[in-house]
Amino acid sequence: MRMTLTRTVFLAATALMLCASARAQTHDGEMKLSLGYDGRVLVKVLDMQVEQRATAYGHSSTARLVSSGILAAFKHIDERANASGRIAHGDPRPGEFSYANLAGKTRRKVDTNWAGGDVTRHATPPFTSMGDTLPTAAQKANGAEALTQLMRMT
């Protein structure tokens, strides 16, 4: 798959935030993590927010990436993602994932569900074939989206 500039910036900013972040434990045993990143080139050009919550039984995450300032004049970015799932043997497992690119021409929305040993994905507008072979059932069942992977690292 091709990696876009937006995803590259998102992944780099996430890695930087993880290096500088700390866990916050609440009184009821819930782990909360709030990360914020302001990209600056003399002035603010990018804003990224990630929130994660986890208990002994489940997890949820939200992320938002928005361009501002001079960058917004040339490249409008407004991407949002939400994920939730269960915790199995201390390992976050994916359950539901939604992604929306509200700034692009296609205004793509993707919903993915892991349930009953199967993975279903619905994209609007649909993706065209990129020539990749389709994943096997085992690859689908063992896969996870970016926010669950981030939860696994924290």
Side-chain angles (χ1 to χ4, degrees), residues 2-68:
R2 296 182 337 208
M3 182 169 280
T4 65
L5 173 64
T6 302
R7 287 190 183 98
T8 303
V9 170
F10 181 77
L11 291 173
T14 301
L16 286 172
M17 288 190 308
L18 281 175
C19 293
S21 68
R23 289 184 184 201
Q25 194 76 19
T26 62
H27 297 291
D28 59 0
E30 179 182 72
M31 186 271 302
K32 290 189 342 185
L33 180 65
S34 294
L35 306 169
Y37 173 78
D38 289 341
R40 295 183 178 270
V41 180
L42 299 178
V43 296
K44 182 176 174 179
V45 294
L46 189 70
D47 181 40
M48 188 171 104
Q49 300 293 323
V50 177
E51 293 243 351
Q52 294 188 311
R53 295 177 182 269
T55 66
Y57 305 104
H59 67 89
S60 65
S61 302
T62 61
R64 184 162 187 212
L65 180 66
V66 180
S67 61
S68 60

Side-chain angles (χ1 to χ4, degrees), residues 121-150:
R121 183 189 75 194
H122 176 29
T124 308
F127 286 104
T128 58
S129 173
M130 295 174 14
D132 297 328
T133 58
L134 294 175
T136 65
Q139 288 172 325
K140 284 183 178 181
N142 290 318
E145 85 310 311
L147 291 175
T148 297
Q149 295 291 25
L150 180 61

Side-chain angles (χ1 to χ4, degrees), residues 78-114:
D78 188 356
E79 297 188 19
R80 301 170 192 199
N82 297 298
S84 63
R86 60 187 171 85
I87 305 287
H89 307 292
D91 183 35
R93 301 297 303 159
E96 296 180 1
F97 173 73
S98 64
Y99 164 82
N101 181 350
L102 303 174
K105 292 178 185 176
T106 60
R107 295 192 170 280
R108 185 171 314 278
K109 293 183 180 182
V110 179
D111 293 306
T112 307
N113 292 302
W114 285 259

